[in-house]
Amino acid sequence: MKLPAFVTDLTLPPLEYQCKLRQWSQEMRTSSPIIWDEDSANWIVFRYEDVVRVQSDYATFSSEGTVPGGNGSSIVEMDPPRHKQMRSLITLAFSARTVVEMTPQIEEIVDTLLESLCARDEIDWMSDFANPLPVIVIARMLGLPHEEWPTYKRWTDAIINMTSESEVANLGLREHFARAIDERYRNPGGTDILSRLIAAEVDGKGLEYEDVMGFCFTLLIAGNITTTNVLGNAMLCFDEHPEELTRLQRHPELLPTAVEEILRYMGPFRAGPNGLIEGRIAQTDLRLYDHIVRKGDHVQVNRLSANFDERHFHEPERFDCGRTPNRHQSFGQGIHFCIGAPLARLEIKLALGKLLSKFQHIHILHKEPLRQTPSLLIFGPQRVPLSLQPA
Ligand code: HEM
């Protein structure tokens, strides 16, 4: 079948897109829990239990060869045993403890960015805050000169959206990473994540130069577009549910559950044909509902649909900052579960917590309709004009 036209319609206002998406995926969960998208040649599954199964059963649903144009060097396109080896090495460098240790650094970046918003009648939440924060954080973690964040952001967007600049972007990033990596080979022993990656060993084996390079790409790209768009989507959630913003302002202790609810309710990926982050390849013929999935077929999970599955969530259509339990699928499931989840959670929590305590009135200005960010992979707002009044 063909996907409905709205799925790739970037001109729809973001909240309208989300409404249509929720409605469509609800219909699919009920009547067609798996469909064949003839344009992208992908199966798509919609129910929570199937989304979990496709991601967890790596023997049946492989990640190898899923990244369009990929050369196998990224952890997202690896299966065990190579995936396990790589993941163990990166976990050594990128543990939850390393992330907690980064709290003061991230706080400092958040404070500086928020400070620059004071005394202005109108700001753009995206270009003034949500774009710079994650890219500055990840650039610092990778030992790149963070003042160059606008370039890294532009290059990331070019690579993700496969624009005409993507080749230049790839070469440019490679050059910047090579400089940072070479310096650490010359001066080992540092405590930053790149030094730890280079030093990490499992069973006496460390990472090859190209593996380190591959990680730098994955971390820089995965580490900024997603978090940026979740920060933007947080504002869309509050725009749609101002009463929940007021609730959160009165009860800041709800912040951790509010962050999870934003991730569930409005994750940063589109529902479209984007094999990059949501795809697997069937390793055998199998039956799913009334369909036979053949060995070699691409199977995609629709995480947004899983996050609204009424079989799993109580009143899924309700945006509830106090929701618990909330085992959403926005960070994935199984062996590829997002390695950056602790970092992303920390960044979003610090950003929203400090925003809410610094500004009493946070008001989205609707002088003109909000627009979606121009990407067929990522979902978020392009600009969010805000008026802020200090507390
Ligand atoms: C809110 C922000 C984020 C979201 C929603 C998100 C989402 C995801 C998802 C859904 C996956 C699983 C992909 C799959 O199953 O094929 C994933 C994997 C991954 N993410 Fe994130 N991510 C976020 C932030 C980050 C950050 C900040 C970093 C790093 C700095 C990061 C690094 C990675 C890496 C390296 C993987 C691959 C893990 C593996 O294959 O074992 N992510 N992410």
Side-chain angles (χ1 to χ4, degrees), residues 105-169:
Q105 267 189 57
I106 301 176
E107 277 187 317
E108 187 199 313
I109 303 168
V110 170
D111 287 339
T112 311
L113 288 170
L114 286 182
E115 202 52 48
S116 71
L117 308 183
C118 292
R120 281 168 59 189
D121 293 338
E122 182 181 329
I123 63 131
D124 170 24
W125 176 244
M126 299 314 291
S127 56
D128 291 325
F129 190 89
N131 285 340
L133 175 68
V135 71
I136 293 175
V137 169
I138 194 71
R140 272 174 77 159
M141 284 179 90
L142 290 173
L144 300 175
H146 60 266
E147 321 72 65
E148 298 201 33
W149 75 262
T151 310
Y152 303 138
K153 165 80 185 137
R154 207 180 70 236
W155 283 345
T156 306
D157 288 348
I159 292 171
I160 277 294
N161 297 321
M162 295 189 220
T163 68
S164 53
E165 209 202 351
S166 64
E167 208 170 308
V168 175

Side-chain angles (χ1 to χ4, degrees), residues 176-189:
H176 281 241
F177 291 140
R179 238 177 278 146
I181 297 170
D182 292 348
E183 195 197 307
R184 278 153 188 82
Y185 273 118
R186 278 196 305 274
N187 301 300

Side-chain angles (χ1 to χ4, degrees), residues 52-242:
V52 167
R53 179 181 167 200
V54 168
Q55 295 174 100
S56 308
D57 181 359
Y58 54 80
T60 309
F61 301 100
S62 161
S63 290
E64 266 177 31
T66 50
V67 175
N71 58 3
S73 70
S74 171
I75 187 168
V76 285
E77 50 180 334
M78 289 176 193
D79 286 338
R82 186 146 182 252
H83 176 269
K84 185 161 185 272
Q85 167 87 8
M86 290 298 222
R87 179 105 185 185
S88 310
L89 284 166
I90 198 169
T91 307
L92 281 176
F94 201 42
S95 64
R97 215 181 88 215
T98 321
V99 171
V100 171
E101 281 168 12
M102 289 200 59
T103 307
Q105 267 189 57
I106 301 176
E107 277 187 317
E108 187 199 313
I109 303 168
V110 170
D111 287 339
T112 311
L113 288 170
L114 286 182
E115 202 52 48
S116 71
L117 308 183
C118 292
R120 281 168 59 189
D121 293 338
E122 182 181 329
I123 63 131
D124 170 24
W125 176 244
M126 299 314 291
S127 56
D128 291 325
F129 190 89
N131 285 340
L133 175 68
V135 71
I136 293 175
V137 169
I138 194 71
R140 272 174 77 159
M141 284 179 90
L142 290 173
L144 300 175
H146 60 266
E147 321 72 65
E148 298 201 33
W149 75 262
T151 310
Y152 303 138
K153 165 80 185 137
R154 207 180 70 236
W155 283 345
T156 306
D157 288 348
I159 292 171
I160 277 294
N161 297 321
M162 295 189 220
T163 68
S164 53
E165 209 202 351
S166 64
E167 208 170 308
V168 175
N170 262 310
L171 288 173
L173 278 180
R174 214 186 145 82
E175 210 176 288
H176 281 241
F177 291 140
R179 238 177 278 146
I181 297 170
D182 292 348
E183 195 197 307
R184 278 153 188 82
Y185 273 118
R186 278 196 305 274
N187 301 300
T191 55
D192 58 278
I193 180 170
L194 190 53
S195 304
R196 290 184 203 209
L197 261 182
I198 289 168
E201 282 189 358
V202 168
D203 299 333
K205 242 185 126 229
L207 291 170
E208 307 277 334
Y209 184 90
E210 276 309 314
D211 296 332
V212 177
M213 187 60 97
F215 265 141
C216 287
F217 269 94
T218 306
L219 289 179
L220 184 86
I221 294 172
N224 86 74
I225 41 160
T226 44
T227 311
T228 285
N229 285 284
V230 174
L231 287 168
N233 294 352
M235 294 304 146
L236 297 180
C237 292
F238 296 141
D239 194 28
E240 197 182 37
H241 301 278

Side-chain angles (χ1 to χ4, degrees), residues 286-333:
L286 68 142
R287 172 179 281 278
L288 276 176
Y289 303 95
D290 292 339
H291 297 278
I292 304 291
V293 174
R294 298 279 173 208
K295 182 176 176 182
D297 282 356
H298 286 245
V299 183
Q300 246 187 266
V301 297
N302 186 319
R303 292 199 176 91
L304 176 121
S305 175
N307 286 348
F308 278 80
D309 193 336
E310 39 297 284
R311 290 158 202 79
H312 194 83
F313 293 95
H314 178 62
E315 295 186 280
E317 302 288 326
R318 205 154 72 87
F319 177 70
D320 172 6
C321 281
R323 181 180 290 275
T324 173
N326 186 356
R327 290 186 57 89
H328 61 75
Q329 284 295 313
S330 295
F331 284 127
Q333 175 89 28

